Amino acid sequence: MVEERIGSAVRLNQPAGHLEDNESLIDAVIRETQEETAWQFHPEALVGVYRWRHEASQETYIRFCFTGSLGDFLDTPLDPDITQAVWLDKQTMLDRASQFRSPLVMECWQDYLTGKRFDLDLLK
């Protein structure tokens, strides 16, 4: 998880971001995770694809949630809006659910805990 500053509030989120020009989804998740946590991430499965419409802004978000393994910690600067990467146990996640950036955080986490996994070959 990452703590990120949204306006004056600190919210919890999974590493997230946007695709760069000509970047694959897998390359984007590797890059975004490194930029927001300073950890190398090796995606091994897709947990799910999620859609959420923000009520106030009327923007629609699509999230791809991955699971995988970590490589090295790179000790590089984090994206400016990220205050820190945090490791949280199940109870702490539940206790801090009111700080989740969106309902997608809980949906991804619940699907991960129930073992939902899809082969990365699904992504073309």
Side-chain angles (χ1 to χ4, degrees), residues 57-87:
S57 72
Q58 303 295 300
E59 291 185 281
T60 298
Y61 295 88
I62 302 293
R63 176 172 293 198
F64 292 79
C65 181
F66 294 87
T67 186
S69 57
L70 290 178
D72 295 328
F73 178 75
L74 301 176
D75 198 23
T76 56
L78 303 179
D79 278 356
D81 56 333
I82 304 297
T83 60
Q84 66 177 336
V86 293
W87 299 97

Side-chain angles (χ1 to χ4, degrees), residues 24-71:
S24 74
L25 189 55
I26 297 299
D27 288 341
V29 73
I30 292 168
R31 177 186 52 76
E32 286 288 351
T33 302
Q34 183 175 324
E35 289 175 357
E36 295 190 4
T37 69
W39 284 93
Q40 291 180 325
F41 177 67
H42 308 287
E44 296 169 356
L46 178 69
V47 174
V49 180
Y50 307 83
R51 178 189 178 277
W52 176 63
R53 186 167 185 253
H54 189 278
E55 291 293 324
S57 72
Q58 303 295 300
E59 291 185 281
T60 298
Y61 295 88
I62 302 293
R63 176 172 293 198
F64 292 79
C65 181
F66 294 87
T67 186
S69 57
L70 290 178

